[in-house]
Amino acid sequence: MNNYYALILCGGSGTRLWPLSRQLRPKQLLSLNGKETLLQQTAKRLLLHVPAKNLFTVTHEDHKFEVKGQLAEVAPDAVANVLAEPFARNTLPAIAWSVDQIYQKDPNAIIGVFSSDHAIDNEVAFIGAWQKAETLAQQDYLVLLGIKPDALTTGYGYIKPGNKIVDGNMPVFEVAQFIEKPELKLAKQFIAKGYFWNSGIFVFKASIFMQMLTQYQPRMASQLSNINTDNFTETYASFSNISIDYGLAEKADKIAIVPVDMAWSDLGSWESIYQKQAKDEDNNVVHGDVFIQDTSNSLLWSQSGVLATMGLNNVVVVQTPDATLVCDKSRTEEIKSLVERIKLHKAELAETHLTVHRPWGTYTVLAESTNFKLKCIVVNPNEKLSMQMHNHRSEHWVVVEGEATVIKNGIESTLQENQSTFIPKTNHHRLENKGNTPLIIIEVQCGDYVGEDDIIRFDDQYGRTEN
Amino acid sequence: MNNYYALILCGGSGTRLWPLSRQLRPKQLLSLNGKETLLQQTAKRLLLHVPAKNLFTVTHEDHKFEVKGQLAEVAPDAVANVLAEPFARNTLPAIAWSVDQIYQKDPNAIIGVFSSDHAIDNEVAFIGAWQKAETLAQQDYLVLLGIKPDALTTGYGYIKPGNKIVDGNMPVFEVAQFIEKPELKLAKQFIAKGYFWNSGIFVFKASIFMQMLTQYQPRMASQLSNINTDNFTETYASFSNISIDYGLAEKADKIAIVPVDMAWSDLGSWESIYQKQAKDEDNNVVHGDVFIQDTSNSLLWSQSGVLATMGLNNVVVVQTPDATLVCDKSRTEEIKSLVERIKLHKAELAETHLTVHRPWGTYTVLAESTNFKLKCIVVNPNEKLSMQMHNHRSEHWVVVEGEATVIKNGIESTLQENQSTFIPKTNHHRLENKGNTPLIIIEVQCGDYVGEDDIIRFDDQYGRTEN
């Protein structure tokens, strides 16, 4: 069992669940159905079958600290296994690079690859199918979990099963054909014919995967074999932007599908979030400070402030501190194009929230003007920001909760609640929380320029002196 | 012409245009259709016929400074004529108290009474009808402007005209009957029969009004004749909560109606705001940072943050920093009950905005916790806050724009941009802007209690040392 591994793909652009998800905070990092984030739920589910030290996660460099922070809460031994991509390059490069690293450590590894943002309510069925897939992987198959459709949808790719490889109450088939997201009419036919949804969950021997990569994507395999710390970034940049489906699975001869009915959803739209959540008597999903009157079949989600509705049906409203979406519930798949338009005019609204996560905690922009910016900074216990300076802005800090350790030009001092300090521009400074409770400070930045990029880091425990 | 007066009724609960309007900022104080507020538009319209010194405004004590500030911009000579009610007591007490004061100064006054929150697009027709009403008032009539209906609506009271008093191209009728907001079927019949909408605009001789008050509301007339500075508040509190329609107009024998077609609207609902505004090609009214896709016949109003919509029709969305309304456009008359419910749970959301107007400028609450509160304070040029102290909170001030004059325990100092000061609790202090540009400071309050009522005022140029 020690050669069983799980690899979590933790990428995603954050557009489909906008405005709650953003580029720097895609849906797998959000709590959508409970206290834990989708990533944490995924990790816990995988730990039912593999030990944390065999759980790997591949994510974008931008999300590395957040991913590690979330894993630390549910799978501490998996924190060291977080692999950070310098660029998002679709699923095949991410998987190939990760599998290669596992393979080098354990040539006998059998690896399952999982999305970080899916809901799977029937964990017993899931684990059963995964184990079944592993037995097929032992026989050198590239194995895919196929979901038995429980609704008519055009939102998923379909798989046509071929010959039966294994009989019994959990049969296994060859894959006859991969079909991209179909039209509604075709989807209906596919379901009638017993096709399955493509779950994106693969299981394989690492050695077989590497063989297949060499066979079907020889250029990528060769690039990978030559990768090293010196050429890492440029090599990664040159990987083809290709999915595992298109680049490997559709080409493979020995590919099997394990059908499973596990109450699965890819939570790919607000409509699918709506489907998964508990409803009130009028079939509404309500989250946060929401007042409704004569409203039905709607998703009403407020992350900030009060949301009041009247006379609505089949509507999705999602309210965040800086953006609100109001959308016909049957059309939430189309949000992407709307977000693309917003991105053209207000890029920051597609990229970040007002609250930004950092390895040491968070900051929230409370007000901003051309010559000042106001932040609420939360430093987690025993964390510290980098030693840094700014060329254009001075900073006024007021401690409102906890105790701050401040270094200014080499001199350390301690600030209690209701104490303040001033950091003139070009002054080298560092903020640290040596306490056991969160430190909250209000920071008023003043200067001719208050952009985030006016920062020079001299020493950083998170290795961020480069950017 | 010097005995022609106008009285603006500037009351209102602020519920019907929630969340943009609040109790402390009702719709007449908002800019809804242009740069000027409805109050300012009303004042300018009345100045077409009366001089500013003959323009009186009656409002609630809570709105006094804001009303004066708004009038100062468009009718400086009317600022001294702002009358502040200690309690809201419906239209008759407000009018009677105001008329009595004008009457005492000018026994020959002829007074027009106007709402502060109506739209009147045809000013020529309006002034013509007002002047016509004044000629009837000279003949001791209580005169009412009647609006020729231009839409089928149940949102207004109707007036059945009686005998024709004056013939010609602007005929005048006796009033046969007042009818409360009718059912749709009845409204249809009324319009077919040539009934008019009750505009709420009255014109009368002050002397005749006082006579009628004595005749029909003898108790109120007597209370009014005995009112003085000592008993003012308790007398006002004891006035009947009664409208001029019910208390006087419906009882009066000598009452006339001047019909007028002046593109009038009482802007009493979001639907009526929608009707009055310019539309885009899909018949949407769009205000603020709004991104729409496949959306039509809707009012999309963002005061703060981005609003994005997709696949909507006939919907009203109004977004403010702390509350958003999403409502079927044909049902905006029903908002009142929704706001009543919100008020029960979150009173502050029905009463105030995050930005609060003060005689000296504004403050905006940017963040709040149990032990700290963060404000952005804007002090207008040449204004100062009261000399004050707080028992529970200390304050940190950082100047981010302009120059602050600060008095702390009797010592005056000046703070420039990027300078800060600390006001320990119980310290007597005052903030002043002696400059010609707005002063903006960020205030961080720390203490065991940070409620607005922890303030003791010692000296205040706006006379607020009592509260």
Side-chain angles (χ1 to χ4, degrees):
Chain A
M1 169 140 167
N2 271 346
N3 67 331
Y4 292 143
Y5 291 79
L7 172 64
I8 301 177
L9 304 181
C10 193
S13 65
T15 49
R16 294 208 289 176
L17 297 185
W18 187 91
L20 207 60
S21 66
R22 309 277 169 107
Q23 205 165 308
L24 281 179
R25 202 155 176 77
K27 69 176 192 242
Q28 64 270 23
L29 302 182
L30 303 176
S31 302
L32 288 170
N33 49 354
K35 215 173 130 51
E36 286 167 342
T37 66
L38 295 181
L39 170 64
Q40 288 175 321
Q41 292 176 22
T42 300
K44 283 177 77 173
R45 190 186 304 127
L46 301 176
L47 292 183
L48 296 173
H49 181 54
V50 296
K53 68 179 183 53
N54 286 11
L55 176 61
F56 283 70
T57 307
V58 57
T59 191
H60 188 276
E61 180 69 36
D62 286 346
H63 303 141
K64 183 177 67 178
F65 295 110
E66 176 70 1
V67 166
K68 287 188 173 189
Q70 292 195 5
L71 289 176
E73 293 176 12
V74 297
D77 288 346
V79 172
N81 297 338
V82 173
L83 308 171
E85 294 184 288
F87 308 98
R89 276 286 173 277
N90 213 326
T91 50
L92 187 56
I95 295 171
W97 175 56
S98 306
V99 167
D100 188 41
Q101 287 174 78
I102 300 172
Y103 179 58
Q104 286 174 36
K105 288 173 45 175
D106 184 352
N108 296 315
I110 293 181
I111 305 174
V113 177
F114 306 89
S115 293
S116 52
D117 53 3
H118 291 182
I120 296 175
D121 288 351
N122 187 340
E123 293 186 329
V124 173
F126 164 65
I127 298 295
W130 183 7
Q131 289 172 324
K132 185 76 169 188
E134 285 170 336
T135 63
L136 273 290
Q138 293 281 17
Q139 300 162 41
D140 297 347
Y141 278 96
L142 177 64
V143 193
L144 184 58
L145 297 202
I147 308 295
K148 293 177 182 164
D150 56 9
L152 178 61
T153 175
T154 60
Y156 300 131
Y158 281 75
I159 288 166
K160 179 183 179 180
N163 295 329
K164 196 176 280 186
I165 307 171
V166 179
D167 219 338
N169 59 4
M170 198 186 277
V172 181
F173 302 88
E174 287 179 340
V175 171
Q177 197 187 345
F178 284 87
I179 303 145
E180 292 284 307
K181 295 178 183 180
E183 307 259 304
L184 193 66
K185 202 174 150 186
L186 273 177
K188 216 176 260 182
Q189 292 176 15
F190 294 161
I191 290 173
K193 287 179 182 166
Y195 290 16
F196 303 106
W197 288 336
N198 184 345
S199 68
I201 299 173
F202 288 89
V203 183
F204 46 74
K205 266 190 197 161
S207 57
I208 293 296
F209 179 94
M210 297 312 290
Q211 273 178 31
M212 286 182 171
L213 193 73
T214 305
Q215 184 177 356
Y216 301 116
Q217 300 293 337
R219 184 168 167 267
M220 194 183 294
S222 144
Q223 288 172 311
L224 204 54
S225 66
N226 291 317
I227 210 165
N228 58 46
T229 46
D230 291 337
N231 66 15
F232 176 65
T233 305
E234 66 191 278
T235 305
Y236 217 99
S238 69
F239 281 146
S240 300
N241 196 327
I242 195 171
S243 70
I244 183 174
D245 293 65
Y246 188 74
L248 225 62
E250 296 185 20
K251 295 178 161 52
D253 289 327
K254 204 162 176 187
I255 177 161
I257 182 165
V258 176
V260 59
D261 189 356
M262 58 186 184
W264 171 90
S265 163
D266 79 343
L267 301 177
S269 66
W270 280 115
E271 216 272 335
S272 67
I273 300 291
Y274 170 83
Q275 296 298 347
K276 276 280 169 191
Q277 305 264 343
K279 318 282 191 298
D280 72 9
E281 61 210 1
D282 296 314
N283 257 322
N284 298 304
V285 171
V286 173
H287 178 99
D289 267 341
V290 178
F291 292 83
I292 58 179
Q293 193 159 311
D294 194 16
T295 295
S296 53
N297 304 306
S298 294
L299 174 74
L300 307 160
W301 191 292
S302 175
Q303 204 194 25
S304 156
V306 155
L307 170 63
T309 71
M310 188 171 60
L312 302 183
N313 181 38
N314 204 47
V315 170
V316 166
V317 186
V318 181
Q319 175 167 310
T320 69
D322 57 354
T324 298
L325 171 75
V326 186
C327 177
D328 182 330
K329 187 164 109 274
S330 17
R331 298 183 57 182
T332 60
E333 297 265 358
E334 299 170 45
I335 287 174
K336 206 181 157 103
S337 61
L338 183 61
V339 177
E340 289 303 322
R341 268 183 51 222
I342 293 170
K343 207 169 169 173
L344 284 178
H345 295 90
K346 302 208 158 238
E348 73 284 6
L349 273 169
E351 287 162 10
T352 61
H353 284 283
L354 293 179
T355 295
V356 176
H357 290 251
R358 290 289 191 222
W360 42 261
T362 64
Y363 71 80
T364 304
V365 178
L366 299 171
E368 195 169 359
S369 170
T370 48
N371 59 340
F372 74 92
K373 190 192 265 185
L374 191 61
K375 284 182 177 178
C376 180
I377 296 175
V378 180
V379 185
N380 292 330
N382 301 308
E383 298 285 352
K384 59 182 167 187
L385 283 69
S386 58
M387 178 70 76
Q388 55 188 245
M389 63 157 266
H390 315 290
N391 279 317
H392 298 276
R393 67 178 191 247
S394 306
E395 295 177 343
H396 303 255
W397 292 349
V398 181
V399 176
V400 295
E401 263 185 60
E403 183 181 287
T405 301
V406 177
I407 298 175
K408 285 201 296 181
N409 278 349
I411 298 164
E412 183 174 309
S413 62
T414 303
L415 293 184
Q416 310 291 336
E417 248 180 61
N418 198 23
Q419 293 188 319
S420 67
T421 191
F422 175 64
I423 323 272
K425 64 182 178 186
T426 74
N427 190 309
H428 292 212
H429 59 280
R430 173 168 233 161
L431 177 62
E432 181 171 0
N433 180 6
K434 291 185 176 170
N436 294 315
T437 59
L439 162 67
I440 305 181
I441 75 164
I442 301 298
E443 174 180 271
V444 184
Q445 303 177 354
C446 294
D448 52 62
Y449 177 74
V450 290
E452 291 302 323
D453 52 351
D454 175 20
I455 183 166
I456 296 164
R457 294 195 175 98
F458 302 102
D459 173 49
D460 183 56
Q461 63 176 349
Y462 314 102
R464 299 172 305 161
T465 47
E466 291 297 307
N467 64 336
Chain B
M1 167 140 169
N2 271 347
N3 66 330
Y4 292 144
Y5 291 80
L7 171 64
I8 301 177
L9 304 181
C10 192
S13 64
T15 48
R16 296 207 289 178
L17 298 185
W18 187 90
L20 207 59
S21 67
R22 309 277 169 106
Q23 206 166 309
L24 281 179
R25 201 156 176 77
K27 69 175 191 237
Q28 64 269 23
L29 302 182
L30 303 176
S31 302
L32 288 171
N33 49 356
K35 212 171 133 50
E36 286 167 343
T37 66
L38 295 181
L39 170 64
Q40 289 177 319
Q41 291 176 21
T42 300
K44 284 178 78 173
R45 190 185 304 128
L46 301 177
L47 292 182
L48 296 173
H49 181 53
V50 297
K53 69 180 182 54
N54 286 11
L55 177 61
F56 283 70
T57 307
V58 57
T59 191
H60 189 277
E61 181 70 36
D62 285 346
H63 302 139
K64 184 176 68 175
F65 295 110
E66 175 71 1
V67 166
K68 286 188 174 188
Q70 293 196 3
L71 289 175
E73 293 176 10
V74 297
D77 288 346
V79 172
N81 298 337
V82 173
L83 308 170
E85 294 183 288
F87 307 97
R89 276 286 174 278
N90 214 324
T91 51
L92 188 57
I95 295 171
W97 175 56
S98 306
V99 166
D100 188 40
Q101 287 175 77
I102 299 172
Y103 180 56
Q104 285 174 35
K105 288 174 47 177
D106 184 352
N108 296 315
I110 292 181
I111 305 173
V113 178
F114 307 89
S115 293
S116 53
D117 53 2
H118 291 179
I120 296 175
D121 288 350
N122 187 340
E123 293 187 328
V124 172
F126 164 65
I127 298 296
W130 183 6
Q131 289 172 324
K132 185 75 167 188
E134 285 171 334
T135 65
L136 272 290
Q138 292 284 14
Q139 299 163 42
D140 297 346
Y141 278 97
L142 177 64
V143 193
L144 185 59
L145 298 201
I147 309 296
K148 293 176 182 166
D150 56 9
L152 177 61
T153 174
T154 59
Y156 299 131
Y158 282 74
I159 289 167
K160 178 184 178 182
N163 294 329
K164 195 177 282 185
I165 305 171
V166 178
D167 219 338
N169 59 5
M170 197 185 279
V172 181
F173 301 88
E174 287 179 340
V175 171
Q177 198 188 343
F178 284 86
I179 303 144
E180 293 282 306
K181 294 177 183 179
E183 307 258 305
L184 193 67
K185 202 174 150 187
L186 273 176
K188 216 176 257 184
Q189 292 174 15
F190 294 161
I191 291 173
K193 286 179 182 166
Y195 289 15
F196 304 107
W197 287 335
N198 184 344
S199 68
I201 299 173
F202 289 90
V203 184
F204 47 71
K205 267 190 195 161
S207 57
I208 293 297
F209 179 93
M210 297 312 292
Q211 274 178 30
M212 286 181 171
L213 193 73
T214 303
Q215 186 178 354
Y216 302 117
Q217 300 294 335
R219 183 167 168 267
M220 195 184 293
S222 147
Q223 287 172 311
L224 203 55
S225 67
N226 292 318
I227 209 166
N228 59 45
T229 45
D230 290 337
N231 67 13
F232 175 67
T233 305
E234 65 189 280
T235 304
Y236 217 100
S238 68
F239 281 145
S240 302
N241 197 325
I242 194 172
S243 70
I244 183 173
D245 293 64
Y246 188 74
L248 226 62
E250 295 186 19
K251 295 179 161 52
D253 291 326
K254 205 162 174 186
I255 178 162
I257 182 165
V258 175
V260 59
D261 189 355
M262 58 187 185
W264 172 90
S265 163
D266 79 343
L267 301 177
S269 67
W270 279 115
E271 215 272 334
S272 67
I273 300 290
Y274 170 83
Q275 296 299 347
K276 277 281 168 190
Q277 306 263 343
K279 317 282 189 298
D280 71 10
E281 60 210 2
D282 295 314
N283 257 321
N284 297 304
V285 171
V286 172
H287 177 99
D289 267 341
V290 178
F291 292 83
I292 57 180
Q293 193 160 313
D294 194 15
T295 295
S296 52
N297 305 306
S298 294
L299 174 75
L300 308 160
W301 191 292
S302 175
Q303 205 193 23
S304 157
V306 155
L307 170 63
T309 70
M310 187 171 61
L312 301 185
N313 181 37
N314 205 48
V315 170
V316 166
V317 186
V318 181
Q319 174 166 310
T320 69
D322 56 354
T324 298
L325 171 75
V326 186
C327 177
D328 181 331
K329 188 165 108 272
S330 18
R331 299 183 57 183
T332 61
E333 296 267 357
E334 300 169 44
I335 288 173
K336 206 181 157 102
S337 61
L338 183 61
V339 176
E340 289 303 323
R341 267 183 51 221
I342 293 169
K343 206 169 169 174
L344 284 178
H345 295 89
K346 303 209 156 234
E348 73 284 5
L349 273 171
E351 287 163 9
T352 61
H353 284 284
L354 293 179
T355 294
V356 176
H357 290 253
R358 290 290 192 221
W360 43 261
T362 64
Y363 71 79
T364 303
V365 178
L366 299 172
E368 196 170 357
S369 171
T370 49
N371 58 341
F372 75 91
K373 190 192 262 184
L374 191 61
K375 285 182 177 178
C376 180
I377 296 175
V378 180
V379 185
N380 292 330
N382 301 308
E383 298 285 353
K384 59 181 169 189
L385 282 69
S386 58
M387 179 69 76
Q388 56 188 243
M389 64 156 267
H390 314 288
N391 278 317
H392 298 276
R393 67 179 190 245
S394 306
E395 295 177 343
H396 302 255
W397 293 349
V398 181
V399 176
V400 294
E401 262 184 61
E403 184 182 285
T405 302
V406 177
I407 298 176
K408 284 201 296 182
N409 278 348
I411 297 163
E412 183 174 309
S413 62
T414 303
L415 293 184
Q416 310 291 337
E417 249 181 60
N418 199 23
Q419 292 188 320
S420 67
T421 191
F422 175 64
I423 323 271
K425 63 182 175 183
T426 75
N427 191 308
H428 291 212
H429 60 279
R430 172 167 232 160
L431 177 63
E432 180 172 0
N433 180 5
K434 291 184 177 173
N436 293 316
T437 59
L439 161 68
I440 306 181
I441 75 165
I442 301 297
E443 175 181 272
V444 185
Q445 303 177 355
C446 294
D448 52 62
Y449 177 74
V450 290
E452 290 303 322
D453 53 350
D454 175 21
I455 183 167
I456 297 164
R457 294 195 176 97
F458 303 102
D459 173 50
D460 184 58
Q461 63 177 347
Y462 314 102
R464 299 173 304 162
T465 47
E466 291 296 308
N467 65 335

